[in-house]
Amino acid sequence: MILFTDDVARAHERVVNMASQMFQVAVAPLSELAGTCNSLKLKGVTTFHDAHVEDVDFVTRALELPGAIAVETPWDKFVQRQHLLAERLTGVRCFRVDCRDDFERAVVALPLPCVLKPRRGVGGSGVAFLWDTGDADHQRAERLDWTGLTLETWLPQGAHPVRPDWLANFVSVETVSLGDAHHVVAVFDKSPIEVVRRGGREGADMVSVTGDIIPSQLSEAQRDVICARVRDCLETLGVRWRVTHTEVQLTPDGSDIIEINGRVGGHLNRLLRLVGGTDLVRAALSVALGLPPALPATEPDGYAMGYFPPFPIRGGQVRSRVTVADLRRLEGLVGVDEVAAAGAAQADSGFRMANVTLRAATADELQRAAAGVARGIRELFAADAEGANGAEEVDMADAVTGHGGADEASTGVEGRER
């Protein structure tokens, strides 16, 4: 059964019609979601959309379904920090910000640099890095909506211990939680994020994640320490019967938690399936019913990468004419999920030129393939790198290999600043 809220159904009638050809479909106002689920006698409920994780929590608690979380609003970043701080599972201090006065009090209490970000949301949207008092003044001048934010201390910046020239200094940990057992099914490395300072709305920086790599090249000992910390965090939040996606910062002294998300991590399931790993979608559906899913015990078969480079100059329409067939010719590339269409708004593709998948037998082969694919995508989209308004052209191959840029940070992650 696929449930749509009525506002989504009205806005995406075509999608609802398509879904109804393959599945049972129900439409309900958000306020009546629990009652609808009850009348349909559903045995479980889950979501793959971050905006609805709290709705799943509400329904599971109201109907006593599998997946009910003990902590209220556990995916709120401020709430998470408070619980993790109490158990000494993070060293990050934070303040809740819901108005300008909250910000003024917090920016006095926390030493710079620090990070202002939404308490809910994904992908770096709305994040602003406050390096100095000038950045704080920029927020005062540009930001109109102060609700739903948190200001937190800067996470110490480490480096990837194996491939700092290519991989970012944060990882993600994918976990399947049953009753009181938290099974780590994958650890992903990341390619460096890209940051356009003050490039977002209302004073925010524009943050772009560029890629995921499986398996992680951290040592087994390093992975074990990180995974143990994630399990402790999930236990502290009272997570049960849930697939979670946790981002972890690599610090000079070890690691710290960036954030914990109560759903499958975007774009990751396709990579796990390429290397014979856990099917996260199937696992999420299974645990929503309170049933333990099948968890492969084998090591990943080779290496895979999801790569989604942003436009070097963001805004306006796509200039380049690039097809799926053009991308398919790039060596090492095995899948094309999306390509920005000529004439469309860059925003239609999330300001990404393309979203592609690579596969290789070894880590070295994957790195070489990634550099070649990055260079090939840059050349195919050359028209979108021409210096409109004097903007800088950026070498996208450097963005993947980690060369040629100054280190920056997201919610505590390494990146490149433009």
Side-chain angles (χ1 to χ4, degrees):
M1 172 71 71
I2 297 183
L3 302 175
F4 292 93
T5 55
D6 55 356
D7 57 332
V8 170
R10 285 193 299 269
H12 302 280
E13 183 178 353
R14 187 174 161 193
V15 174
V16 176
N17 291 337
M18 183 184 300
S20 65
Q21 302 301 310
M22 299 178 284
F23 305 97
Q24 297 181 65
V25 167
V27 177
L30 191 58
S31 60
E32 299 177 12
L33 197 57
T36 300
C37 293
N38 188 45
S39 65
L40 292 169
K41 301 188 186 319
L42 298 185
K43 297 181 180 179
V45 60
T46 190
T47 185
F48 299 93
H49 195 304
D50 192 78
H52 291 295
V53 292
E54 282 92 353
D55 300 325
V56 167
D57 293 341
F58 175 78
V59 172
T60 53
R61 280 195 296 267
L63 303 183
E64 298 183 345
L65 298 174
I69 309 296
V71 171
E72 190 78 18
T73 63
W75 320 118
D76 180 305
K77 296 176 179 64
F78 175 79
V79 173
Q80 281 183 14
R81 291 291 186 201
Q82 301 312 300
H83 286 276
L84 301 186
L85 272 167
E87 298 298 323
R88 299 184 179 180
L89 292 171
T90 182
V92 174
R93 296 172 57 211
C94 62
F95 287 85
R96 184 183 181 115
V97 175
D98 281 308
C99 63
R100 172 78 172 264
D101 288 344
D102 288 345
F103 173 75
E104 298 296 351
R105 286 188 288 269
V107 81
V108 169
L110 289 182
L112 295 173
C114 54
V115 183
L116 182 68
K117 61 184 181 181
R119 295 199 296 272
R120 290 289 294 112
V122 294
S125 177
V127 173
F129 309 116
L130 278 59
W131 290 96
D132 52 35
T133 55
D135 287 330
D137 289 339
H138 183 69
Q139 293 304 304
R140 296 181 180 103
E142 298 295 328
R143 192 170 290 271
L144 300 176
D145 185 0
W146 292 93
T147 60
L149 304 174
T150 180
L151 187 73
E152 63 179 40
T153 51
W154 192 259
L155 279 166
Q157 300 294 291
H160 196 286
V162 179
R163 293 181 180 269
D165 60 330
W166 179 37
L167 301 176
N169 63 352
F170 74 112
V171 300
S172 72
V173 178
E174 317 312 315
T175 312
V176 176
S177 295
L178 306 180
D180 56 358
H182 308 289
H183 299 277
V184 173
V185 296
V187 179
F188 282 82
D189 284 331
K190 309 292 176 176
S191 56
I193 65 164
E194 293 198 5
V195 179
V196 179
R197 294 282 283 148
R198 302 182 180 180
R201 296 179 56 190
E202 293 198 20
D205 297 317
M206 185 177 286
V207 181
S208 298
V209 178
T210 61
D212 307 297
I213 300 99
I214 184 72
S216 171
Q217 294 174 58
L218 297 176
S219 70
E220 183 177 358
Q222 291 165 329
R223 291 197 304 271
D224 286 348
V225 171
I226 288 172
C227 292
R229 188 188 200 115
V230 169
R231 291 189 191 97
D232 288 343
C233 290
L234 295 175
E235 190 62 28
T236 295
L237 295 177
V239 175
R240 298 288 186 272
W241 300 104
R242 199 71 168 247
V243 173
T244 52
H245 167 71
T246 303
E247 294 181 355
V248 181
Q249 173 75 37
L250 304 178
T251 68
D253 297 325
S255 65
D256 205 333
I257 299 296
I258 298 172
E259 63 186 41
I260 303 169
N261 302 285
R263 40 79 192 163
V264 173
H267 306 302
L268 300 183
N269 200 50
R270 60 179 180 171
L271 301 180
L272 280 169
R273 297 185 69 176
L274 273 177
V275 297
T278 298
D279 186 331
L280 294 176
V281 172
R282 182 178 290 273
L285 295 171
S286 181
V287 296
L289 297 170
L291 300 175
L295 302 176
T298 58
E299 290 295 314
D301 178 19
Y303 288 77
M305 178 180 185
Y307 179 48
F308 21 92
F311 284 94
I313 301 169
R314 287 167 231 188
Q317 293 182 321
V318 180
R319 299 180 180 184
S320 306
R321 294 190 176 276
V322 182
T323 66
V324 170
D326 294 330
L327 293 170
R328 282 280 193 175
R329 296 187 188 101
L330 299 176
E331 186 176 355
L333 192 150
V334 297
V336 179
D337 283 76
E338 187 175 22
V339 55
Q346 288 185 4
D348 290 350
S349 62
F351 297 98
R352 294 168 174 150
M353 293 184 286
N355 188 340
V356 300
T357 308
L358 296 79
R359 195 180 189 288
T362 68
D364 289 339
E365 287 179 15
L366 184 66
Q367 182 176 6
R368 288 193 295 270
V373 167
R375 191 171 295 108
I377 292 177
R378 177 197 63 195
E379 292 169 355
L380 288 169
F381 282 89
D384 292 280
E386 295 171 359
N389 300 321
E392 174 192 3
E393 179 178 347
V394 176
D395 188 333
M396 297 306 296
D398 283 348
V400 168
T401 58
H403 300 146
D407 282 350
E408 185 50 276
S410 171
T411 47
V413 298
E414 178 185 272
R416 299 178 65 246
E417 178 181 351
R418 291 208 293 279

